[in-house]
Amino acid sequence: MTKQQKLVGRIAAALAGCVVASASHAGTFSDTLPQFSGSGANTVQTVGVFTFDLAGQAVTSARIDGTFGNSLVSSTSVHSVFADGILVASCSDKTAFCWTTGPEAWSYEFTGAELDIFADGQVVLTTEQTDCCTVRLGTTTLSGVTSPVPEPETFGMLIAGLGILAALKRRRG
């Protein structure tokens, strides 16, 4: 084995190590808010704030799950639920199951374009009531999957390794 082949092997091993090290830090996050009973006023109310630590991770997928109605009253007023301004659930009218009998489960899967709301480590859940009575929500859970954000040193090693490989190829050719 020539010196060049040994060097190329070492560079490839180092780059592979960086990729494996980065991949090993992928993870998940979640937070749960307690059940909620609103004021009964037709207004926007804060249900609660989900908080989580991404620790240098990027969110790759996330969902929110809850119920219309809670342990106090199984149904709810007509209202919409928002996560940082994104509509995630709606009890649309008095003929809907969420109004008449409940509790009714709901969930929302965030799209790729919406994942940037997680960057600050918190999501504010609000409700906007549009009818009489009281908004009632059961416990609400936010969960997500993360992947590592490569650190600048990783990119530096990758660029340096590619530069060495290019130099070796030029030297041979």
Side-chain angles (χ1 to χ4, degrees):
M1 184 179 281
T2 69
K3 282 185 177 182
Q4 289 175 345
Q5 289 171 328
K6 286 181 184 178
L7 182 58
V8 169
R10 287 182 185 147
I11 292 170
L15 291 174
C18 289
V19 171
V20 169
S22 294
S24 66
H25 297 299
T28 61
F29 66 92
S30 69
D31 193 17
T32 300
L33 299 177
Q35 62 183 9
F36 174 81
S37 294
S39 66
N42 284 351
T43 186
V44 174
Q45 298 173 69
T46 299
V47 176
V49 180
F50 296 106
T51 57
F52 42 89
D53 182 11
L54 296 178
Q57 305 277 316
V59 176
T60 57
S61 67
R63 70 179 282 137
I64 189 168
D65 298 283
T67 60
F68 291 117
N70 60 30
S71 65
L72 300 173
V73 177
S74 62
S75 59
T76 187
S77 174
V78 175
H79 71 283
S80 297
V81 181
F82 299 89
D84 273 5
I86 298 169
L87 178 65
V88 295
S90 182
C91 179
S92 58
D93 60 50
K94 289 183 179 180
T95 62
F97 180 70
C98 53
W99 169 268
T100 56
T101 55
E104 180 182 359
W106 57 267
S107 67
Y108 182 82
E109 187 80 28
F110 291 91
T111 67
E114 297 168 334
L115 295 177
D116 62 339
I117 69 168
F118 300 101
D120 64 356
Q122 68 178 21
V123 172
V124 178
L125 192 70
T126 57
T127 181
E128 182 177 12
Q129 183 174 337
T130 56
D131 200 1
C132 73
C133 308
T134 302
V135 169
R136 309 245 188 230
L137 295 171
T139 58
T140 307
T141 301
L142 173 69
S143 58
V145 176
T146 62
S147 67
V149 176
E151 297 189 18
E153 295 84 15
T154 303
F155 285 121
M157 287 178 60
L158 177 63
I159 291 169
L162 292 174
I164 291 170
L165 290 174
L168 289 173
K169 185 171 180 162
R170 235 178 296 149
R171 221 170 150 200
R172 287 175 123 184

